[in-house]
Amino acid sequence: MCNIIIIHFISLVLIIVSIIQDKARPVFPFTAIVGQEEMKLALILNVIDPKIGGVMIMGDRGTGKSTTIRAIADLLPQIEIIEDDLFNSHPYDYELMSDSIKNKVENGEQLSTTFINVPMVDLPLGATEDRVCGTIDIEKALTEGIKTFEPGLLAKANRGILYVDEVNLLDDHLVDVLLDAAASGWNTVEREGISIRHPARFVLVGSGNPEEGELRPQLLDRFGMHAEIRTVKEPSLRVKIVEQRSKFDTNPYMCLKEFQEQQDELKNCIIEAQKRLSNVTIDYDLRVKISEVCGTLDVDGLRGDIVTNRAAKAFAAYNNKDQVDISDIKTVITLCLRHRLRKDPLETIDSGNKVRQVVDSILTE
């Protein structure tokens, strides 16, 4: 008993220290990132419409993948949740409530709310399925003799961003679990007589280096978008990137102050796009052309069609438009289809040339 209390105390101290460090540690501003427009656009579109299905970012080492992903999370406005809820339940949207909160709302209970930063959860490569999905709270089982649920990373990431670095090195079974939860928006856990179902609506972001291996085509297809990034070759841009990073490392708060206006402008643009998204429409003729492109490229299934439609709407909303046009589709379609052309696991992912050739022949002004 004494050992359990000591372990619990140490864990609590580590959590508090981690929270303090996270609050104290400044994040590199998103608008200060030079280049990598493809990756930045994919991330912005996914936070505007999480139903796009996440983004897979593949590129060389040291190209700012992790920095950019953490920067987009820091840019987003705070979200309102039910206070002390384990699953970041939304106070008004039934689809984003856990079952226990739904029951309380239906019973007319008054629930207090609070605002938190958008959750940004890192999934380590060595994580087990129990750590990801949740499991039995062993401590309570031993000390109180009751079975209770201990939430996993999917619960913590609800209504936020779940980031998996080196996703191509993650066990395929865990990748499947993540993609299933991201697609359905729910996580169901059956453990030792306990059955728990909770919302798991998050933007799944994976990154990796293609030299270390690709994901299987069946798993890769489940990501909504695929962004490729390459090391910047132009000397002047490389110097600018180094200067920005040095400036931030020397005085991060001064750097944040310098980019505060641009950060606020982009944040407001994202908020307005989220509000406008439901009113954006896409003509039937354009939807037919999207499907014609997918058919010509021999894309398996209909995910490519669905994701391209959603991404085009998100991009139109981002550009303050209520109607999708051909230029919106051309901007996003390569990101949505490039990774769906691979049939053989030994093949490499198309750089986008094949998609662009077909698009240019079908999508004419």
Side-chain angles (χ1 to χ4, degrees):
M1 177 72 72
C2 184
N3 288 337
I4 292 174
I5 293 172
I6 291 171
I7 291 170
H8 181 65
F9 176 74
I10 292 172
S11 300
L12 186 61
V13 170
L14 289 173
I15 290 170
I16 292 171
V17 169
S18 174
I19 292 171
I20 292 171
Q21 286 177 341
D22 285 344
K23 286 185 177 179
R25 187 185 301 125
V27 177
F28 193 83
F30 187 84
T31 51
I33 295 167
V34 178
Q36 313 300 9
E37 300 303 325
E38 200 173 272
M39 170 172 59
K40 291 192 288 189
L41 177 61
L43 289 170
I44 288 171
L45 296 182
N46 269 275
V47 296
I48 291 173
D49 183 7
K51 290 183 179 179
I52 287 173
V55 56
M56 178 68 183
I57 301 167
M58 295 296 279
D60 303 329
R61 295 180 295 274
T63 46
K65 297 187 291 291
S66 300
T67 299
T68 308
I69 293 159
R70 291 185 172 86
I72 190 73
D74 189 61
L75 183 69
L76 300 176
Q78 290 189 319
I79 58 172
E80 188 177 9
I81 66 165
I82 302 294
E83 200 167 9
D84 299 325
D85 181 66
L86 298 173
F87 310 108
N88 302 328
S89 291
H90 196 289
Y92 315 113
D93 190 341
Y94 263 59
E95 284 299 308
L96 297 174
M97 289 182 188
S98 63
D99 290 340
S100 60
I101 296 298
K102 283 181 185 176
N103 292 335
K104 289 179 181 179
V105 170
E106 289 168 359
N107 292 333
E109 293 185 35
Q110 291 294 320
L111 300 172
S112 57
T113 65
T114 185
F115 284 87
I116 63 167
N117 292 331
V118 170
M120 169 70 189
V121 177
D122 282 282
L123 191 147
L125 280 179
T128 62
E129 186 178 346
D130 283 352
R131 181 76 186 98
V132 173
C133 299
T135 186
I136 298 294
D137 189 331
I138 300 297
E139 184 184 330
K140 281 195 175 182
L142 292 175
T143 57
E144 302 175 28
I146 57 174
K147 292 180 180 178
T148 55
F149 180 67
E150 183 179 349
L153 296 177
L154 294 181
K156 293 179 181 178
N158 186 37
R159 300 177 64 198
I161 296 173
L162 182 61
Y163 173 46
V164 189
D165 195 10
E166 307 295 350
V167 67
N168 45 335
L169 302 181
L170 196 66
D171 181 74
D172 279 351
H173 172 62
L174 273 184
V175 177
D176 244 340
V177 169
L178 294 175
L179 292 168
D180 281 341
S184 66
W186 291 89
N187 177 42
T188 304
V189 182
E190 302 282 349
R191 293 280 192 282
E192 308 298 331
I194 284 185
S195 179
I196 295 285
R197 181 175 176 267
H198 68 80
R201 300 288 179 89
F202 52 83
V203 177
L204 179 62
V205 181
S207 69
N209 182 351
E211 292 177 2
E212 295 165 346
E214 298 275 9
L215 279 177
R216 288 189 289 114
Q218 297 89 333
L219 294 176
L220 197 56
D221 176 65
R222 303 279 291 279
F223 280 92
M225 306 180 88
H226 183 284
E228 272 191 354
I229 53 177
R230 293 285 177 260
T231 304
V232 176
K233 302 297 183 186
E234 190 179 331
S236 59
L237 275 181
R238 291 174 75 108
V239 170
K240 188 176 180 182
I241 293 167
V242 172
E243 286 177 348
Q244 293 281 43
R245 187 71 227 189
S246 299
K247 189 188 297 183
F248 179 79
D249 290 340
T250 303
N251 191 335
Y253 297 101
M254 184 63 72
C255 183
L256 288 170
K257 186 177 180 181
E258 180 185 339
F259 285 92
Q260 190 60 55
E261 187 176 334
Q262 295 176 45
Q263 290 280 99
D264 291 340
E265 187 178 331
L266 180 55
K267 181 185 288 188
N268 291 333
C269 188
I270 290 172
I271 293 170
E272 290 303 314
Q274 289 171 335
K275 293 177 182 176
R276 190 180 299 109
L277 182 63
S278 60
N279 296 322
V280 177
T281 59
I282 178 168
D283 285 342
Y284 176 78
D285 291 343
L286 289 181
R287 281 180 276 148
V288 170
K289 286 184 180 294
I290 289 171
S291 293
E292 187 180 346
V293 170
C294 293
T296 304
L297 289 168
D298 194 25
V299 174
D300 290 336
L302 294 173
R303 282 200 187 100
D305 307 56
I306 294 168
V307 170
T308 304
N309 276 271
R310 284 177 174 161
K313 286 183 178 182
F315 187 67
Y318 180 58
N319 285 292
N320 198 23
K321 295 189 291 188
D322 293 322
Q323 185 82 26
V324 172
D325 58 34
I326 286 180
S327 65
D328 298 323
I329 298 170
K330 283 186 171 183
T331 302
V332 303
I333 196 166
T334 301
L335 290 166
C336 300
L337 299 183
R338 169 198 288 141
H339 56 303
R340 305 180 197 278
L341 309 186
R342 218 171 118 225
K343 309 293 182 183
D344 187 335
L346 298 178
E347 289 179 2
T348 56
I349 293 176
D350 180 66
S351 63
N353 292 332
K354 188 176 179 181
V355 177
R356 281 189 285 269
Q357 287 172 5
V358 173
V359 168
D360 288 340
S361 66
I362 294 175
L363 287 172
T364 54
E365 298 288 348

